[in-house]
Amino acid sequence: MKDQPDHAISARGNKFRHRYVTAKGERRATVPLRDPTTLWFNTGTLCNIACTHCYIESSPTNDRLAYISLAEVEDFLGQLGDRGWDVSEIGFTGGEPFMNPGMIAMAEASLARGYQVLILTNAMQPMMRPRVQEGLLRLNAAHPGKLTLRVSLDHYGEAQHDGERGTGSYARTLDGMDWLRDAGIAMTVAGRTMWGETEAEARAGFARLFAVRGYAIDAESPAACVLFPEMDETADVPEITTDCWGILGKSPDSVMCASSRMVVKRRGAERPAVLACTLLPYDPEFELGATLAEAEGEVALNHPHCAKFCVLGGASCSG
């Protein structure tokens, strides 16, 4: 079975056990890679903080995904050209990407090839080191309009954010956002919807914060202010069948794995692996191979996150 917690598997009952057939015997929905627009790199699961509800369990001690290197990133950038993927964006996630000592160099390599670069960060101490700040300023000046940092700001309120990330985290993140604002580096925000608010209420709260702080972020834009639902693997969610596309009025092309892949380096592995999804870094069923060529196959939606987060929630990790 999958590399998942026992309580999560038991809570699913007979659901999500067979790759191509649901518990009711219906044909499970699959998603082909139709239009790859984003290639993600997980820079490593080490992080400067440990959040209460981190889907990837990042922390100062979790190195299950090791630091990926500049040479490994450059290899996959070369594969993009070889495979003819029409990717426009390179995304970096973690862990905290700025914990990886090669982060600036990896972003520079991607920008030099003409890609947009998106870096997900908590905007705290790792990003605020002088060497990193100098690198970000240099890259932003050399590639205007090509670099964006998406800051994890769980809630516009200090109490809610600190409840997830630790006392003082909110203030330190806003300090980082203030620096990005003053440096003229484009930023967006990733928040969460786990406090019983409507989406409209959450966006209004973020809009007030952005206005007060002078952040050029459109709180009404789902791309600029991304609001992620909580990912609870024990929740009872429906399995997605092939008939669901018509019932829901959705297309397989709207799901993340139709347009993106993620590269990770597992601790102790000789080389990186390509995954179907940024949300499932540890599930071996969603590991597609060691090259982009091997990762071009269809993906069976055989996980609760596929249903709740992507199909029903309509979430996307890219802008």
Side-chain angles (χ1 to χ4, degrees), residues 20 22 26-30 239-247:
Y20 295 111
T22 70
E26 299 172 296
R27 183 182 174 190
R28 186 179 306 283
T30 59
E239 296 182 278
I240 304 299
T241 70
T242 53
D243 291 338
C244 287
W245 301 122
I247 295 170

Side-chain angles (χ1 to χ4, degrees), residues 34-201:
R34 293 194 186 277
D35 181 25
T37 57
T38 303
L39 181 63
W40 288 93
F41 292 96
N42 188 295
T43 61
T45 39
L46 286 173
C47 187
N48 56 303
I49 57 175
C51 298
T52 302
H53 296 93
C54 180
Y55 77 96
I56 200 171
E57 301 174 356
S58 296
S59 77
T61 58
N62 178 12
D63 63 350
R64 289 178 69 182
L65 300 184
Y67 285 155
I68 201 163
S69 71
L70 172 61
E72 289 163 340
V73 168
E74 289 181 322
D75 175 61
F76 279 95
L77 295 177
Q79 290 183 47
L80 283 175
D82 295 340
R83 300 306 301 170
W85 288 20
D86 192 22
V87 161
S88 59
E89 177 185 62
I90 303 298
F92 293 94
T93 184
E96 167 52 49
F98 291 112
M99 295 278 285
N100 187 318
M103 183 63 257
I104 294 297
M106 293 185 292
E108 186 166 26
S110 304
L111 289 164
R113 291 175 179 255
Y115 294 110
Q116 297 277 344
V117 167
L118 176 65
I119 305 174
L120 278 54
T121 179
N122 57 39
M124 295 171 70
Q125 288 89 335
M127 189 199 78
M128 295 291 277
R129 288 175 293 174
R131 178 184 63 81
V132 174
Q133 290 179 321
E134 186 279 329
L136 289 173
L137 290 170
R138 176 170 52 81
L139 293 182
N140 194 54
H143 305 276
K146 291 286 191 177
L147 174 66
T148 301
L149 272 63
R150 178 185 291 166
V151 179
S152 297
L153 189 65
D154 290 329
H155 195 266
Y156 53 85
E158 182 174 11
Q160 293 89 337
H161 181 88
D162 280 3
E164 279 294 302
R165 295 176 181 259
T167 302
S169 297
Y170 182 82
R172 289 193 292 273
T173 290
L174 291 188
D175 284 345
M177 295 179 71
D178 287 351
W179 182 82
L180 291 169
R181 175 201 63 202
D182 296 342
I185 297 173
M187 62 177 163
T188 59
V189 155
R192 298 190 186 192
T193 57
M194 54 181 292
W195 288 278
E197 297 177 306
T198 66
E199 180 176 337
E201 289 170 338

Side-chain angles (χ1 to χ4, degrees), residues 293-309:
E294 294 173 313
E296 291 176 346
E298 65 180 13
V299 177
L301 301 184
N302 190 27
H303 193 280
H305 289 352
C306 303
K308 181 179 180 181
F309 192 80

Side-chain angles (χ1 to χ4, degrees), residues 9-22:
I9 294 173
S10 62
R12 299 175 193 171
N14 291 321
K15 294 181 178 179
F16 304 104
R17 288 185 175 272
H18 301 286
R19 180 171 294 188
Y20 295 111
V21 181
T22 70

Side-chain angles (χ1 to χ4, degrees), residues 198-211:
T198 66
E199 180 176 337
E201 289 170 338
R203 293 194 181 280
F206 276 109
R208 291 191 296 271
L209 175 67
F210 298 161

